[in-house]
Amino acid sequence: QDQPHSHDEL
Amino acid sequence: MNIFRFAGDMTHLMSILILLLKIYATKSCAVGISLKTQELYALVFLTRYLDQFTDYVSLYNSVMKVVFIASSLAIVWCMRRHPLVRKSYDKDLDTFRHQYVLLACFVLALLLHEIFTFQEVFWAFSIYLEAVAILPQLVLLQRSGNVDNLTGQYVLFLGAYRGLYIINWIYRYFTEDHFTRWIACVSGLVQTALYADFFYYYYLSWKTNTKLKLPA
């Protein structure tokens, strides 16, 4: 599930 | 990770390395490089990657974060401390008032963020700052009135990075269930618009074979 505060981009 | 994001990261990295290698090889930044833009980018990476030790995403992400921070700091170091490069920097042309931009981005980050925590506010700050960090560079180009190969390539690769990231977001929007990241996407669009504007005038000057002139 996507967490809104997980920043997976650079 | 999709191919668009990867290509975006690579063009981003290329833009920074081109600049760093050319400054280092020619021992000069007298080609219209804005120290203020470079300092803003270094600050962007430093404030965005505060999560380096708390949130692990992938080895790729962790390594790239270190590379981006180190290479952007190396450019700033060269322009500020290297005796020859420092001499070639014309600060009278680099007049953009970046203090106001920093303040505006910080206030915006305090107002608009995903979660009100230290890391998240600075993450939002870095996103807003990246969107406008190219402005001192564009103002410098406008004042100096010429765009040489180095600066052209640099801005070209940066523009490619922005364009690829937008394609990446469109791709993710259609392939992922819960892809909502308004802060990054809206700021990214603003940033890309700034480049699009630059490219339009770049194209005009190339087509008419005249010196690049950006409107005031």
Side-chain angles (χ1 to χ4, degrees), chain B residues 141 145-148 152 197-215:
Chain B
L141 288 179
N146 69 333
V147 177
D148 76 341
D197 194 52
F198 170 80
F199 278 122
Y200 174 69
Y201 292 104
Y202 194 51
Y203 169 75
L204 280 186
S205 73
W206 170 79
K207 206 176 125 190
T208 54
N209 205 18
T210 50
K211 260 189 172 180
L212 178 74
K213 252 185 119 55
L214 300 165

Side-chain angles (χ1 to χ4, degrees), chain B residues 33-80:
Chain B
I33 299 300
S34 163
L35 175 61
K36 287 178 180 175
T37 281
Q38 296 309 317
E39 287 182 338
L40 292 182
Y41 279 135
L43 191 59
V44 163
F45 292 131
L46 285 171
T47 50
R48 184 173 305 167
Y49 300 152
L50 290 172
D51 62 355
Q52 173 73 309
F53 300 108
T54 54
D55 294 288
Y56 180 79
V57 176
S58 63
L59 181 64
Y60 171 82
N61 268 35
S62 299
V63 171
M64 288 293 277
K65 286 173 182 178
V66 174
V67 171
F68 277 136
I69 289 176
S71 52
S72 61
L73 284 178
I75 291 177
V76 172
W77 185 87
C78 267
M79 293 183 76
R80 275 186 170 275

Side-chain angles (χ1 to χ4, degrees), chain B residues 23-187:
Chain B
I23 287 176
Y24 196 75
T26 59
K27 300 281 184 282
S28 162
C29 62
V31 283
I33 299 300
S34 163
L35 175 61
K36 287 178 180 175
T37 281
Q38 296 309 317
E39 287 182 338
L40 292 182
Y41 279 135
L43 191 59
V44 163
F45 292 131
L46 285 171
T47 50
R48 184 173 305 167
Y49 300 152
L50 290 172
D51 62 355
Q52 173 73 309
F53 300 108
T54 54
D55 294 288
Y56 180 79
V57 176
S58 63
L59 181 64
Y60 171 82
N61 268 35
S62 299
V63 171
M64 288 293 277
K65 286 173 182 178
V66 174
V67 171
F68 277 136
I69 289 176
S71 52
S72 61
L73 284 178
I75 291 177
V76 172
W77 185 87
C78 267
M79 293 183 76
R80 275 186 170 275
R81 296 271 177 255
H82 191 287
L84 291 173
V85 179
R86 196 176 61 181
K87 261 203 215 157
S88 69
Y89 170 62
D90 187 356
K91 72 168 189 287
D92 293 335
L93 284 174
D94 200 6
T95 53
F96 189 83
R97 289 176 213 272
H98 60 305
Q99 309 91 313
Y100 299 119
V101 163
L102 282 169
L103 185 66
C105 289
F106 190 68
V107 170
L108 194 59
L110 284 175
L111 298 172
L112 274 178
H113 46 259
E114 289 180 355
I115 308 162
F116 190 65
T117 62
F118 183 80
Q119 273 192 11
E120 284 294 316
V121 167
F122 275 103
W123 179 84
F125 169 76
S126 82
I127 295 288
Y128 302 139
L129 188 59
E130 187 188 353
V132 292
I134 195 67
L135 286 175
Q137 180 65 65
L138 294 182
V139 168
L140 176 58
L141 288 179
Q142 190 184 352
R143 284 179 62 100
S144 61
N146 69 333
V147 177
D148 76 341
N149 284 338
L150 161 62
T151 319
Q153 285 163 8
Y154 172 66
V155 182
L156 188 80
F157 273 102
L158 269 181
Y161 147 63
R162 293 316 314 172
L164 285 161
Y165 251 68
I166 286 184
I167 299 172
N168 152 57
W169 288 330
I170 294 169
Y171 180 85
R172 292 188 71 172
Y173 179 79
F174 285 110
T175 55
E176 290 175 25
D177 282 342
H178 303 284
F179 185 74
T180 49
R181 43 189 76 215
W182 295 112
I183 289 179
C185 290
V186 171
S187 308

Side-chain angles (χ1 to χ4, degrees), chain A, chain B residues 5 61 114-115 120 123 168-169 172 178:
Chain A
Q1 187 181 333
D2 251 14
Q3 291 194 322
H5 59 283
S6 78
H7 305 304
D8 61 352
E9 291 176 348
L10 289 166
Chain B
R5 194 206 128 181
N61 268 35
E114 289 180 355
I115 308 162
E120 284 294 316
W123 179 84
N168 152 57
W169 288 330
R172 292 188 71 172
H178 303 284

